Amino acid sequence: MKYILVTGGVISGIGKGIIASSIGTILKSCGLHVTAIKIDPYINIDAGTFSPYEHGEVFVLNDGGEVDLDLGNYERFLDISLYKDNNITTGKIYQHVINKERHGDYLGKTVQVVPHITDAVQEWVMNQAKVPVDDDKKEPQICVIELGGTIGDIEGMPFVEAFRQFQFKAKRENFCNIHVSLVPQPNATGEQKTKPTQNSVRALRGLGLSPDLIVCRSAKPIEMAVKEKISMFCHVEPEQVIFIHDVSSTYRVPILLEEQGIIKYFKQRLNLPIDDQPSDLLMKWKKMACRYERLLKVCSIALVGKYTKLSDCYASVFKALEHSALAINYKLDLMYIDSTELERSMEAENSVKYHQAWHKLCKADGILVPGGFGIRGTEGKLQAISWARAKKKPFLGVCLGMQLAVVEFARNCLNWEDANSTEFDPDTKNPVVIDMPEHNPGDMGGTMRLGKRRTVFKTENSVLRKLYGDEMFVEERHRHRYEVNPELTHCFEEKGLKFVGHDTEGNRMEIIELENHPYFVGVQFHPEFSSRPMKPSPPYLGLLLAATGTLNAYLQRGCKLSP
């Protein structure tokens, strides 16, 4: 097993996740089996109870793990299926060690950070690195490990120490450290500065790790003189300094790395049994990146949510839309609309914001209402759904978006004026969305209906079934506490809102479709988590096809994309 540790310096959010994913993609293109581990030094057990404004979206895995969004990058880039133990947190490690201490495994010993915590980290990494993540179930040969945060953070120290020890346990030919740093360019001088990188590498060396590659992030391409300066002051060869400037799309990053000789370097440094040239997989990435940059036709989608100030809050939704737009040769114009700005109260409070939000919504080709929690902004989402239904605008509701579509239909088509979800109004007379019987209102972490579950189509006359290739069932990932009230579904079906998919027992409503509408679809699951650059998610693809007016032609071709 070969281990590649990716650390970061100067600032967080520098792009370690994309670089780690890109390195994995390059090595996979050379015919190797690659897995990935993300280490988050926070004390939370998992990402499940975070606000999206803390660390971006919560990504859900097949096994129900609620993890950091970087695991979504790994899955999309490498086309693999990871597990919750591929995300290590300080909380998980300490819980594991404390449980062993209570069990008596350390009887007679003082339990300390060194060696007990550091040993637990190494043991976890070695065990998880062997778990197959590809469809062929073969054991990985390479494990890419991303250490979250920046070098010098107090919470990350036990992990750095663990890998200082681990480099000797694994042996030099099996362990490689890549350090990602920032090369800023102040506007005042326009000069690219190397001092932050020098200090960051010095701090890393002081903790016992020496970088084999230094990946320098910058806004603009870095000059050769800067490369030579970093090489000299950071004690590495010039070919060990890699530049990654801001690019038009993340699909370009693996290509930039490959162009700078990273395959040849890994082959020599880790004694890898590979050719110097990548296979067809990286050629596909090159073609995809070139195609992305040449797109001319534009499709605009309005994303109506409440976490719109940070794009990472809907990272997987954005990627799923982008994959679908690319598949049909359209450039995506994603307009984020804060749902509170669509509400009547906003008109009185700030009429400019109110009218700007409605202007965005009205000019969009399609409307998407993603998942979420809490009552804030729900009335604005209901307004957007009502407009999409009445004006026959293509609409996709995901998780809460589907539940609100049911609430909107009940209020405006069934005339149940107080229809609501018990999440927002526990005393409503028409509870069209209810909490699930097994939901535990005590502990919040990990108590939802999580992970991959089967949805069975109950009719052949379904747009989504056709988009999924006329399968009898689909398996997608879930993350919810509430569900459509199964006792009231017949009232909706009589008026044209069809529940075309349900769980294997037939009790839980999973998919809705509205009759006599170009595309009005809601799904209880989160299809965005399964979307891949070369395999777009069918519900999102359907939305883009409907928004560009090509859905019927696509269905008539037997769900084949035009060349």
Side-chain angles (χ1 to χ4, degrees):
M1 176 66 71
K2 310 288 184 181
Y3 300 91
I4 297 172
L5 174 66
V6 180
T7 55
V10 186
I11 59 169
S12 60
I14 201 170
K16 294 189 301 295
I18 295 295
I19 286 162
S21 304
S22 300
I23 287 163
T25 303
I26 289 168
L27 293 171
K28 186 168 183 175
S29 78
C30 295
L32 298 167
H33 286 81
V34 183
T35 186
I37 292 173
K38 172 71 191 292
I39 297 174
D40 287 301
Y42 46 67
I43 296 173
N44 304 61
I45 298 296
D46 61 30
T49 54
F50 282 142
S51 158
Y53 283 138
E54 290 285 313
H55 293 271
E57 73 168 5
V58 177
F59 190 81
V60 180
L61 302 170
N62 281 343
D63 64 357
E66 297 172 284
V67 296
D68 186 83
L69 61 82
D70 274 321
L71 275 84
N73 286 325
Y74 305 155
E75 286 205 345
R76 284 187 287 268
F77 271 72
L78 297 168
D79 194 15
I80 55 177
S81 296
L82 297 170
Y83 300 90
K84 56 183 156 193
D85 285 346
N86 286 81
N87 192 194
I88 302 174
T89 67
T90 297
K92 281 182 183 177
I93 293 293
Y94 273 79
Q95 187 181 59
H96 174 71
V97 171
I98 290 167
N99 287 343
K100 285 178 77 173
E101 186 274 331
R102 291 290 83 187
H103 188 253
D105 291 9
Y106 305 121
L107 218 51
K109 293 277 198 311
T110 303
V111 181
Q112 296 175 286
V113 173
V114 181
H116 301 102
I117 295 294
T118 53
D119 283 354
V121 172
Q122 294 172 63
E123 183 188 325
W124 194 306
V125 166
M126 285 190 291
N127 290 339
Q128 199 57 33
K130 295 173 186 171
V131 177
V133 292
D134 282 304
D135 291 339
D136 61 11
K137 300 300 178 190
K138 287 187 179 176
E139 187 175 307
Q141 298 157 284
I142 305 264
C143 180
V144 180
I145 306 153
E146 180 193 345
L147 176 57
T150 53
I151 290 300
D153 294 346
I154 193 165
E155 61 265 34
M157 289 298 185
F159 295 103
V160 177
E161 172 59 22
F163 286 107
R164 185 196 68 77
Q165 299 169 21
F166 186 69
Q167 65 185 329
F168 302 111
K169 189 182 288 186
K171 302 288 187 276
R172 177 175 162 74
E173 66 272 16
N174 298 324
F175 182 86
C176 176
N177 177 212
I178 297 171
H179 189 62
V180 185
S181 184
L182 177 71
V183 176
Q185 191 169 2
N187 289 332
T189 61
E191 186 185 355
Q192 292 171 330
K193 296 292 184 181
T194 64
K195 191 62 73 178
T197 298
Q198 293 177 42
N199 291 338
S200 178
V201 170
R202 188 181 301 119
L204 183 66
R205 282 215 171 91
L207 296 169
L209 286 171
S210 267
D212 295 286
L213 286 174
I214 300 171
V215 177
C216 300
R217 288 280 293 107
S218 62
K220 295 175 183 175
I222 295 176
E223 297 151 13
M224 188 52 67
V226 176
K227 181 173 188 169
E228 289 166 356
K229 191 174 181 182
I230 290 169
S231 165
M232 181 169 63
F233 285 104
C234 294
H235 196 63
V236 292
E237 294 285 346
E239 57 264 26
Q240 290 172 263
V241 182
I242 306 286
F243 295 153
I244 302 291
H245 60 272
D246 293 349
V247 286
S248 58
S249 82
T250 53
Y251 307 130
R252 273 271 161 220
V253 179
I255 297 157
L256 279 177
L257 288 167
E258 189 263 331
E259 285 171 352
Q260 294 179 65
I262 204 164
I263 295 175
K264 187 180 177 183
Y265 179 79
F266 279 135
K267 183 183 177 182
Q268 293 171 346
R269 175 68 180 76
L270 296 173
N271 295 328
L272 296 176
I274 56 174
D275 296 326
D276 288 348
Q277 295 301 315
S279 69
D280 293 342
L281 179 62
L282 205 59
M283 292 307 295
K284 286 180 183 175
W285 275 86
K286 283 184 180 179
K287 286 176 184 174
M288 188 166 61
C290 292
R291 197 153 57 87
Y292 180 88
E293 287 159 6
R294 287 201 302 264
L295 295 172
L296 297 174
K297 294 182 285 185
V298 178
C299 178
S300 60
I301 300 293
L303 188 154
V304 182
K306 65 176 185 177
Y307 307 116
T308 53
K309 292 184 179 70
L310 181 67
S311 60
D312 271 359
C313 296
Y314 299 110
S316 290
V317 170
F318 170 69
K319 287 296 177 187
L321 288 167
E322 190 179 64
H323 299 161
S324 297
L326 187 58
I328 61 171
N329 295 314
Y330 271 79
K331 200 180 193 80
L332 175 69
D333 175 20
L334 185 58
M335 300 183 290
Y336 293 95
I337 300 175
D338 188 333
S339 55
T340 57
E341 294 175 4
L342 296 171
E343 296 175 1
R344 285 281 178 201
S345 57
M346 182 56 73
E347 188 176 16
E349 189 182 317
N350 189 329
S351 61
V352 173
K353 274 188 176 179
Y354 174 80
H355 289 293
Q356 283 176 342
W358 273 101
H359 176 68
K360 272 189 193 177
L361 188 77
C362 293
K363 73 176 186 178
D365 299 316
I367 296 167
L368 171 69
V369 177
F373 298 91
I375 194 168
R376 184 176 71 83
T378 51
E379 287 304 317
K381 291 175 185 177
L382 287 166
Q383 293 282 340
I385 293 165
S386 182
W387 192 84
R389 180 184 55 78
K391 299 293 182 183
K392 295 195 183 301
K393 277 278 181 188
F395 165 80
L396 175 63
V398 175
C399 197
L400 177 64
M402 168 188 152
Q403 295 172 5
L404 290 177
V406 172
V407 171
E408 188 279 329
F409 194 87
R411 288 182 184 179
N412 297 320
C413 297
L414 302 182
N415 298 318
W416 298 350
E417 291 180 8
D418 74 330
N420 214 331
S421 166
T422 56
E423 180 181 4
F424 313 128
D425 182 5
D427 302 318
T428 177
K429 291 177 185 174
N430 290 296
V432 294
V433 177
I434 57 173
D435 58 340
M436 291 180 286
E438 69 268 36
H439 164 51
N440 176 9
D443 288 343
M444 296 294 283
T447 56
M448 290 184 275
R449 183 170 178 248
L450 292 162
K452 186 164 82 170
R453 308 208 176 221
R454 182 169 291 190
T455 296
V456 180
F457 289 105
K458 65 176 189 180
T459 173
E460 290 184 12
N461 186 25
S462 159
V463 173
L464 214 51
R465 177 169 177 163
K466 289 170 186 169
L467 287 166
Y468 271 105
D470 216 24
E471 298 285 345
M472 293 176 68
F473 63 85
V474 294
E475 291 183 327
E476 294 280 10
R477 302 175 188 184
H478 292 69
R479 184 178 185 245
H480 64 112
R481 280 197 178 92
Y482 294 83
E483 63 172 337
V484 173
N485 190 341
E487 294 178 7
L488 301 175
T489 54
H490 62 280
C491 303
F492 293 91
E493 298 224 321
E494 287 167 8
K495 291 286 187 176
L497 188 68
K498 303 294 184 183
F499 294 88
V500 300
H502 51 65
D503 69 349
T504 48
E505 284 78 38
N507 299 325
R508 227 153 242 150
M509 302 303 116
E510 294 278 359
I511 303 169
I512 60 166
E513 291 180 11
L514 181 63
E515 289 181 339
N516 303 317
H517 192 287
Y519 191 81
F520 191 96
V521 172
V523 291
Q524 185 59 72
F525 46 81
H526 287 267
E528 63 270 19
F529 295 142
S530 306
S531 183
R532 302 286 183 265
M534 296 172 202
K535 288 186 280 186
S537 167
Y540 285 91
L541 182 61
L543 176 65
L544 267 293
L545 287 164
T548 55
T550 55
L551 178 60
N552 289 335
Y554 176 77
L555 295 175
Q556 286 165 10
R557 286 195 303 270
C559 295
K560 289 186 175 71
L561 293 167
S562 57

